[in-house]
Amino acid sequence: MKLAQLLVLPAALLSAVLAIPEYSEHLHLRPLPNGYLYAGFNFTASTSLSAYESQHFRYFPRSLGQILQHSGTRELHLRFALGRWDDESWGSRPRDGKREGGTGVEIWAWLDSGGGKPAVEERWSSLVNSLSGLFCASLNFIDRTKTTRPVLSFEPEGTHRGGGGGMELLHGTLPHEVVCTENLTPYLKLLPCKGKAGISSLLDGHKVFDANWQTMSIDVRPVCHVGEECRLEIQQTVDIVLDIERSMRPRNDPIPRPRPVEELECDESKSYHASDSCYPRRKEGEMAWSLSKIFGTPVRGSCHVADGDECPDVSLEISPDRAVEVLHSGSNETLMSHAQNQRLRVYRLSDSGKYTDISLTQQIIQEAPHQEQPPLYASRQITGFGQERGGMHAVLHNPHTYPQRIVYLESLPWFLRPYMHTLKVLSHPTTSHDQPATPVKPDKMFYTPALDRKRGTHLELLLTIPAQSTVELTYDFDKAILRYTEYPPDANRGFDVAPAIIRVLPLNSNSTAGNGKTQDSYLRTTSLLLPLPTPDFSMPYNVIILTSTVIALGFGSIFNLLVRRFVLAEEVPRSALAVRVAGVMGKVRGWVRSLKGRMRGGGEGGGRAVGGAGEATGGAGGMNGISGVAESRKER
Amino acid sequence: METLTKVCRDQPKHVLFTAAATIRILAVLLFPALPDILTLRAELSTPVNSFKRLQEGLFLYERGLDPYDGGIFHQAPLLLPLFALLPSSSLWLGRLVSILLYTGLDLLTADCLYQIAESGVAHTSRLYTSPRKDRAWTSLSVAAVHLLNPFTIMTCLARPTSVFTTLFTILGISHACQARATTAAFAVAIASHTSLHPVMLLPPIGLLCYDRMCAQSADETNTSEANGAAPEPMKTKFAVDQRSQPKPIRFGLQFAATCIAAEAFLFGLSRLILPSWRFIPSIYMTLLELPDLTPNAGLWWYFFIEMFDAFRSFFLGVFWLHMLSYSVPFCLRFQKQPLAAVVLMMGIIAVFEPYANAGDAGAWLSCLCLLGHLFERKYVL
């Protein structure tokens, strides 16, 4: 069962029968291999554009709506993400990766482009600063160095007046941002039931941020259906992958402790199994779990606030053989089960019930769980050693039997200086190893080089990845040294580099119909940690003093040599002033002595005055080189 | 063998130049990885002359982008069309061609040094003749010091673009020694176009050129007494000079105007090959403001990585004023020995320039050998 189809399903079903409800919510649960559980929450609210423009809000959050109006935002996509989706074992990403963000915070928006570039930058700044306040995130740090303008990677999802003209796309990332409870609380406040009732009551910070992978998204876009008024839709999704065993840790003992030896489940078939070593046994069958144990609480009530909301609230994608028990405190009447697809069971929360819980028992099921293969596997690493330079190495693996066209987007911080002339794209077939790597020429390349402290690098490549082959993308970069005051307090931790975003373009419908997807999908690599050279932060005074001394010594000695005339000691003429001073001093001394003699009462030795002053001639000049003296004398 | 010794005796300059070129080419052929390793050395390549950054600028230039709209490339725009002609340096052929080009530049520089030494300006100027005239180094040894200096050889292999600055600076000095004011001014203008500091050499080189022009005009009027070194002819010469000599202020203005005109011409030419004027701030503000703190061997880097932001602009001003403050005092002090003023100013630049590198230091050491007669030494070269 394709996840994308599944998520479209409730909406598609109902839109045929009824008008779209103004608010609906949905939780999709799917166990993943090795004891993981995927839970995808989806909350969709909408309002008509006329009501939005006249500031009449019902289910659409007013706080967000006013920010969007003030900053002239036509379409907004905001992501908070944590962890890594393990696509080797979990398969393809939920919602085709369209509601997923790179580690940290990611935001992209289409803004009114009226007023030229400065006006757009002003609006963007106002948008990120307001959202920063609304979501308690450091979005205000998305400045010009972290903003890029991608060309190929994103397309507006909504229907815009004038075919999408008059608006501009800006994209910013904060890979260093740690997403946590303080972001979830304002996120839940945007919902009509504020996380108090309905499926949103399951969202508790302790569980959401304990997940192996989680992403929260907010997407605002105008949606127009033929013959209806355009509506502004806000879709909020929370996708999490929980470790079932860890999540079911009892609440009264939340501290992780090593398990007692008796409780360890070891694989005794391994040759190295011994009394002191244990290889964990691969889990067999499906684990037992229930909503209340995993999320710490059952679903409280329901949140059926909008008229015409007949959508199912919870869907379970499990093997048809598994037994599911639904416990609820109210009547059973509104619980509906869908039989359209064997693997999918759909439930609607009862309006009268107080609590609803779904629990599954442990079962060993022979049928291997179906995993949809992701369109592409991608990973990215930093290569090289030392603090001066390094290299980027991205590996894109196409497991399918048809070639795929992708857009590869990287936005790098300015202190990572890539050398694009070293960019190499090589393709190896995965089927045979003896074939040499062949260079792949990018179909298109968009490159905006970084400007120090003003702009980050933006690199976008349109590539074709041949069938069943691996494409390696490498380039060199230099690590810049920042100024003393530009380093953060934890400078030696390294600097985060935003994940690369890969958009897998849909295949042409006429070429290989039915083989590939008809819609594009996204995937992101993990973020990177870039160690930059750090100065010795305790040294500035020493450095300043030492360097100033060196310069002063250099200047002083050169100045000394420049202003001094070099002559032999004996040919220094006595200056007139010195002679006069010596004369005066001699007189004074003679007068003092004669005074003394007179005081002693005798005329003896009265006139022994000696003109002894001014004997130092030439001073320091006499010390200097004799060869210079010889030359300067010849000059005349 | 005999012919070889004969050649060595008769054509020592050719032997020296061939040997120097052979060393450079052999180094590349025997150690093909050496140029790329040296290109990455911080002592040889700085942000304003690195060959790798030139390649990046070339990459952008060849794709029609503005190479100065980025933080990597800060070198003279006129180098771009020149290097665009060469084959790509990632291949061995391109590497060899670039080394051949830089070997040619080194040989030209050595030839200019040879001519400066031949002209004898170092020890005999218009107003002053050194008593140690006989101890002056031969022109060949000055050229040999330049060509066989490890700094120069490594710089040649690392291929920084500051080699062009060195060549045009020394070419300017050599033309000044031959009393060719226009070409000297033009060469200094090219040198200061590629990197800013040779502008500070303008006063001493102008002085040198003026000195030679005066000497030349005096020679022309007193051709009969050219050989006489007795005091009487000197006096008459002096008297004649007063009338036929070029006027110092007029000469200075002409020299500066030629330099400015040449600079303007170079800027216009650069603008023709580039889409915008952005190259001017990109090249010169990088030198003035030191925004790129990539490690280099200079004092500036060491000082400014740890400078507090509030004092940054103050100390940038102090450092630049410090360098500027030498140019005119040297001219005044060494009025009678203008080449000494030029060489000392080159030394100040090599030591105190914002992005110091071994290439500039090597060029200065070679120039210092022009004043070899001042060194105390036991043996004679």
Side-chain angles (χ1 to χ4, degrees):
Chain A
M1 180 69 211
K2 284 182 183 172
L3 217 51
Q5 285 176 9
L6 169 90
L7 293 162
V8 175
L9 184 87
L13 258 175
L14 284 153
S15 65
V17 189
L18 299 158
I20 305 166
E22 285 197 5
Y23 177 76
S24 66
E25 55 180 38
H26 185 83
L27 166 65
H28 181 72
L29 293 162
R30 178 165 66 116
L32 296 171
N34 297 335
Y36 290 100
L37 175 73
Y38 161 75
F41 296 79
N42 185 2
F43 312 94
T44 311
S46 65
T47 177
S48 69
L49 271 183
S50 55
Y52 169 71
E53 269 150 25
S54 57
Q55 302 233 1
H56 178 68
F57 298 102
R58 201 163 166 219
Y59 300 118
F60 195 96
R62 172 182 289 272
S63 52
L64 188 63
Q66 284 177 338
I67 289 173
L68 298 183
Q69 279 176 348
H70 180 251
S71 58
T73 308
R74 302 267 196 91
E75 187 172 324
L76 170 77
H77 302 272
L78 179 63
R79 305 278 185 269
F80 299 89
L82 207 66
R84 168 177 168 264
W85 176 267
D86 180 7
D87 45 11
E88 301 267 330
S89 54
W90 299 343
S92 71
R93 285 152 196 261
R95 307 173 213 267
D96 282 340
K98 282 185 178 174
R99 294 286 176 267
E100 189 191 317
T103 310
V105 179
E106 191 176 331
I107 177 173
W108 67 99
W110 277 267
L111 303 177
D112 272 333
S113 63
K117 212 176 161 187
V120 174
E121 274 175 12
E122 183 66 32
R123 282 187 205 121
W124 174 248
S125 159
S126 125
L127 175 69
V128 293
N129 278 289
S130 320
L131 290 177
S132 166
L134 187 60
F135 290 105
C136 299
S138 320
L139 279 158
N140 53 325
F141 284 105
I142 296 184
D143 52 6
R144 282 163 69 194
T145 63
K146 292 187 177 110
T147 305
T148 54
R149 292 156 193 264
V151 186
L152 298 172
S153 295
F154 299 102
E155 267 168 29
E157 285 182 12
T159 34
H160 292 277
R161 277 166 293 180
M167 52 186 202
E168 210 167 320
L169 168 67
L170 287 101
H171 178 267
T173 50
L174 276 181
H176 184 39
E177 182 77 1
V178 181
V179 183
C180 204
T181 328
E182 77 266 22
N183 307 122
L184 181 69
T185 313
Y187 180 90
L188 292 178
K189 289 267 166 64
L190 299 181
L191 301 172
C193 298
K194 319 271 179 204
K196 303 286 180 209
I199 56 169
S200 61
S201 61
L202 294 178
L203 288 170
D204 169 36
H206 293 97
K207 297 294 177 183
V208 170
F209 298 106
D210 189 33
N212 284 42
W213 176 80
Q214 76 88 14
T215 173
M216 297 195 300
S217 76
I218 292 178
D219 297 81
V220 183
R221 55 179 181 166
V223 181
C224 296
H225 289 289
V226 185
E228 276 178 53
E229 203 202 342
C230 285
R231 305 183 73 80
L232 191 71
E233 187 188 273
I234 175 170
Q235 193 179 39
Q236 286 177 261
T237 65
V238 180
D239 289 335
I240 48 181
V241 171
L242 293 159
D243 183 337
I244 295 178
E245 205 177 326
R246 195 172 69 209
S247 304
M248 294 210 297
R249 230 163 26 208
R251 267 229 143 149
N252 51 15
D253 186 20
I255 302 164
R257 287 177 223 277
R259 206 181 290 174
V261 184
E262 310 85 66
E263 285 179 30
L264 287 178
E265 289 176 28
C266 301
D267 188 349
E268 292 175 20
S269 65
K270 297 280 176 194
S271 59
Y272 37 78
H273 173 76
S275 57
D276 58 343
S277 58
C278 178
Y279 185 84
R281 190 165 56 200
R282 214 177 161 75
K283 294 188 181 70
E284 276 178 34
E286 303 284 321
M287 294 186 69
W289 54 268
S290 71
L291 282 184
S292 58
K293 277 186 180 163
I294 282 195
F295 291 100
T297 163
V299 182
R300 265 175 300 196
S302 67
C303 189
H304 300 142
V305 287
D307 308 331
D309 176 11
E310 295 294 327
C311 302
D313 291 304
V314 182
S315 61
L316 262 174
E317 192 187 352
I318 45 167
S319 165
D321 301 337
R322 276 202 90 173
V324 179
E325 197 183 347
V326 181
L327 313 159
H328 50 102
S329 57
S331 60
N332 205 0
E333 58 199 320
T334 48
L335 191 73
M336 68 177 183
S337 187
H338 222 275
Q340 187 203 26
N341 187 294
Q342 293 271 300
R343 290 187 61 83
L344 193 71
R345 297 177 208 195
V346 185
Y347 304 94
R348 186 173 162 84
L349 300 173
S350 74
D351 288 331
S352 56
K354 234 179 166 185
Y355 294 104
T356 311
D357 193 6
I358 296 175
S359 77
L360 286 86
T361 52
Q362 182 166 17
Q363 265 181 310
I364 294 181
I365 288 168
Q366 296 305 317
E367 181 209 7
H370 173 75
Q371 290 284 3
E372 204 195 336
Q373 206 170 25
L376 204 70
Y377 295 100
S379 65
R380 189 173 64 149
Q381 305 85 33
I382 285 179
T383 59
F385 56 90
Q387 298 197 310
E388 275 176 287
R389 55 187 70 90
M392 197 69 89
H393 180 231
V395 183
L396 308 168
H397 171 49
N398 179 6
H400 298 283
T401 52
Y402 45 88
Q404 296 197 81
R405 271 159 75 79
I406 61 148
V407 180
Y408 180 84
L409 168 71
E410 268 191 359
S411 55
L412 305 171
W414 67 265
F415 40 80
L416 190 148
R417 297 201 181 103
Y419 287 104
M420 274 306 126
H421 74 274
T422 59
L423 177 74
K424 283 195 192 78
V425 189
L426 292 174
S427 152
H428 316 264
T430 34
T431 42
S432 62
H433 287 284
D434 34 320
Q435 281 184 40
T438 46
V440 177
K441 200 178 178 305
D443 300 337
K444 270 184 191 168
M445 177 174 174
F446 290 89
Y447 176 55
T448 316
L451 270 176
D452 286 4
R453 297 173 183 87
K454 286 190 193 132
R455 186 174 75 194
T457 306
H458 157 224
L459 171 68
E460 231 170 341
L461 296 170
L462 180 65
L463 291 171
T464 305
I465 304 206
Q468 289 189 320
S469 55
T470 304
V471 166
E472 281 183 59
L473 201 140
T474 53
Y475 58 85
D476 295 352
F477 61 78
D478 269 2
K479 299 172 189 175
I481 293 195
L482 305 187
R483 285 179 196 159
Y484 182 74
T485 44
E486 282 169 343
Y487 285 94
D490 54 348
N492 288 302
R493 174 187 171 270
F495 293 73
D496 293 87
V497 179
I501 300 169
I502 296 153
R503 175 187 183 191
V504 183
L505 293 172
L507 294 168
N508 286 341
S509 51
N510 51 2
S511 61
T512 44
N515 230 345
K517 297 200 169 191
T518 48
Q519 280 205 318
D520 51 0
S521 56
Y522 287 87
L523 59 150
R524 284 164 170 84
T525 64
T526 47
S527 66
L528 295 173
L529 202 56
L530 172 78
L532 284 190
T534 47
D536 183 346
F537 293 106
S538 66
M539 293 297 262
Y541 291 102
N542 303 12
V543 167
I544 292 167
I545 290 165
L546 182 64
T547 315
S548 305
T549 311
V550 167
I551 290 203
L553 274 176
F555 180 79
S557 36
I558 292 173
F559 181 76
N560 191 7
L561 294 173
L562 282 183
V563 297
R564 211 169 281 282
R565 218 170 67 213
F566 296 107
V567 285
L568 289 175
E570 52 267 29
E571 56 178 13
V572 176
R574 289 187 67 184
S575 81
L577 186 68
V579 173
R580 196 169 293 169
V581 169
V584 171
M585 288 296 285
K587 269 182 198 162
V588 169
R589 218 169 284 173
W591 183 71
V592 168
R593 278 191 195 152
S594 62
L595 205 69
K596 269 186 192 165
R598 221 172 285 159
M599 293 273 281
R600 278 182 201 151
E604 346 144 49
R608 268 192 350 215
V610 180
E615 271 169 320
T617 52
M623 297 290 288
N624 284 303
I626 301 299
S627 64
V629 173
E631 291 205 5
S632 58
R633 284 187 67 193
K634 283 263 171 70
E635 280 175 29
R636 290 176 208 130
Chain B
M1 194 62 211
E2 276 173 27
T3 47
L4 203 67
T5 32
K6 190 170 178 294
V7 168
C8 279
R9 203 170 46 243
D10 298 346
Q11 307 257 314
K13 190 180 165 190
H14 288 101
V15 172
L16 170 70
F17 278 35
T18 318
T22 315
I23 289 174
R24 286 158 169 78
I25 292 160
L26 272 184
V28 186
L29 293 178
L30 293 180
F31 309 102
L34 193 62
D36 288 342
I37 294 171
L38 287 176
T39 302
L40 298 177
R41 291 302 308 172
E43 294 85 357
L44 299 165
S45 299
T46 63
V48 291
N49 69 7
S50 153
F51 188 66
K52 195 170 182 187
R53 289 177 184 242
L54 176 71
Q55 297 298 312
E56 181 71 9
L58 213 56
F59 174 85
L60 297 174
Y61 170 71
E62 283 173 347
R63 276 151 191 79
L65 298 168
D66 187 353
Y68 296 95
D69 185 21
I72 289 188
F73 183 63
H74 307 290
Q75 297 164 38
L78 292 176
L79 296 169
L80 292 170
L82 172 68
F83 279 91
L85 293 174
L86 303 184
S88 161
S89 69
S90 54
L91 308 167
W92 73 270
L93 178 69
R95 195 179 303 136
L96 192 66
V97 169
S98 62
I99 295 287
L100 283 176
L101 171 73
Y102 275 83
T103 308
L105 294 177
D106 267 6
L107 294 183
L108 281 175
T109 313
D111 190 52
C112 291
L113 277 170
Y114 187 87
Q115 281 167 19
I116 298 168
E118 282 288 282
S119 70
V121 191
H123 46 77
T124 319
S125 70
R126 178 173 58 109
L127 303 171
Y128 171 77
T129 305
S130 168
R132 295 186 168 200
K133 193 179 164 184
D134 311 332
R135 294 171 71 173
W137 290 21
T138 62
S139 316
L140 199 65
S141 45
V142 174
V145 165
H146 182 72
L147 285 174
L148 305 178
N149 185 345
F151 279 179
T152 320
I153 295 176
M154 284 199 299
T155 307
C156 175
L157 297 180
R159 298 160 290 170
T161 50
S162 54
V163 171
F164 286 90
T165 315
T166 312
L167 169 66
F168 283 108
T169 310
I170 293 180
L171 188 71
I173 300 171
S174 137
H175 279 270
C177 289
Q178 292 156 24
R180 297 189 203 150
T182 317
T183 44
F186 199 81
V188 177
I190 295 177
S192 27
H193 179 73
T194 50
S195 58
L196 191 60
H197 358 78
V199 143
M200 286 179 283
L201 289 172
L202 204 60
I205 290 183
L207 184 70
L208 176 66
C209 194
Y210 177 72
D211 186 271
R212 295 322 295 160
M213 283 175 89
C214 292
Q216 214 173 41
S217 62
D219 281 353
E220 277 161 15
T221 47
N222 304 295
T223 35
S224 56
E225 293 163 308
N227 295 334
E232 282 98 9
M234 283 297 278
K235 266 181 193 163
T236 52
K237 204 173 175 179
F238 196 69
V240 173
D241 282 349
Q242 289 294 342
R243 275 175 277 117
S244 65
Q245 267 177 3
K247 296 272 180 300
I249 293 177
R250 204 165 139 205
F251 170 82
L253 287 177
Q254 266 176 1
F255 194 75
T258 317
C259 201
I260 290 168
E263 197 73 66
F265 168 70
L266 291 171
F267 278 135
L269 209 60
S270 307
R271 177 69 179 83
L272 279 183
I273 62 165
L274 289 173
S276 73
W277 286 108
R278 207 177 268 147
F279 69 95
I280 296 180
S282 172
I283 299 174
Y284 302 109
M285 290 319 270
T286 307
L287 287 162
L288 289 172
E289 287 188 337
L290 202 86
D292 194 324
L293 292 170
T294 308
N296 63 61
L299 270 181
W300 286 56
W301 173 76
Y302 185 57
F303 193 68
F304 282 103
I305 52 160
E306 304 237 359
M307 179 45 66
F308 304 105
D309 276 355
F311 298 104
R312 200 182 151 79
S313 26
F314 169 73
F315 276 106
L316 279 171
V318 168
F319 272 50
W320 267 107
L321 270 182
H322 170 242
M323 256 170 73
L324 280 174
S325 68
Y326 289 108
S327 187
V328 172
F330 276 155
C331 288
L332 295 175
R333 184 70 171 95
F334 296 96
Q335 221 171 358
K336 292 168 185 167
Q337 305 166 67
L339 191 69
V342 176
V343 172
L344 286 175
M345 197 58 218
M346 283 178 77
I348 293 287
I349 290 173
V351 173
F352 291 117
E353 72 179 325
Y355 296 98
N357 58 77
D360 285 355
W364 175 56
L365 290 177
S366 317
C367 287
L368 206 57
C369 296
L370 292 170
L371 305 177
H373 58 283
L374 295 178
F375 303 159
E376 286 298 330
R377 60 191 165 81
K378 302 284 186 303
Y379 53 91
V380 177
L381 273 171

